[in-house]
Amino acid sequence: QLPAQNGDTLRATYIDAGVLVVDGNQPASPVLVTSEGTLAGDGVVGDVTGLSGSIAPGPGTALLTLGNLLLEASCEMTADLQSGLSDRLVVRGTVTLNNPRLTLNLAGPFLGQAGSQRVLISNDGTDAVTGTFDGLPEDALITVGWVQFHISYAGGDGNDVSLTYVSPSLSPIQWTLTDGNG
């Protein structure tokens, strides 16, 4: 139990194993993800602390909304990217990244223009994102399939975690066959 502001106690949801898919609105319900647990869904919860396990909006492309976000080094955020909508965490409080892992998956063809952005963590407050994902400092290059992005912790409206599309990592080679001399 966690102390609430008015002296009452809040019951936290602990995810030690399996997947909790949030499909509703419980903005005062804090969530603690540990061990082999996964927080997923397209809903609203309270503060989220990822000590280990994973945070993965979806299935499909989804918006998972929460209060404060704290992800420790043993935790992982997984997001699906596609040409239209991509997975996103919408944070209504602080964002603290203590070197968690980031896993990105292409969920279909990715058609984008150089310079277009995908916001992974939308931080609606005025506070800056604290910390980074493991091995991904500001402006690091990330390759997902054939697609390359630069990551920013001051993207979007200035305090979001975003990916900026750079280019395909490899260009397909086009061959033309013509009649030859035998």
Side-chain angles (χ1 to χ4, degrees):
Q1 292 184 352
L2 303 171
Q5 291 180 355
N6 64 2
D8 294 337
T9 56
L10 295 174
R11 298 210 182 265
T13 300
Y14 294 91
I15 309 169
D16 285 329
V19 179
L20 172 62
V21 179
V22 176
D23 185 18
N25 187 0
Q26 295 184 321
S29 179
V31 178
L32 178 67
V33 182
T34 63
S35 194
E36 299 297 318
T38 298
L39 173 62
D42 194 7
V44 180
V45 296
D47 296 346
V48 172
T49 302
L51 298 178
S52 57
S54 68
I55 311 297
T61 54
L63 298 175
L64 184 58
T65 303
L66 45 111
N68 297 310
L69 174 65
L70 169 62
L71 298 180
E72 294 292 350
S74 296
C75 193
E76 173 180 44
M77 179 181 167
T78 302
D80 293 331
L81 304 173
Q82 65 181 21
S83 292
L85 292 174
S86 297
D87 285 341
R88 182 185 308 186
L89 294 178
V90 177
V91 180
R92 295 178 173 165
T94 61
V95 177
T96 304
L97 304 173
N98 290 331
N99 297 311
R101 295 176 312 279
L102 176 63
T103 300
L104 300 171
N105 304 304
L106 290 179
F110 189 90
L111 305 171
Q113 293 182 348
S116 63
Q117 277 192 17
R118 293 286 183 271
V119 174
L120 292 178
I121 301 175
S122 178
N123 182 5
D124 76 345
T126 58
D127 50 325
V129 172
T130 302
T132 64
F133 285 104
D134 185 38
L136 298 173
E138 178 71 22
D139 206 35
L141 186 65
I142 302 171
T143 301
V144 184
W146 291 74
V147 184
Q148 289 184 330
F149 300 94
H150 282 283
I151 191 166
S152 176
Y153 301 92
D157 63 6
N159 64 343
D160 300 329
V161 178
S162 66
L163 299 173
T164 301
Y165 176 65
V166 178
S167 68
S169 62
L170 299 172
S171 298
I173 298 172
Q174 185 175 7
W175 293 88
T176 303
L177 297 175
T178 59
D179 289 337
N181 62 0

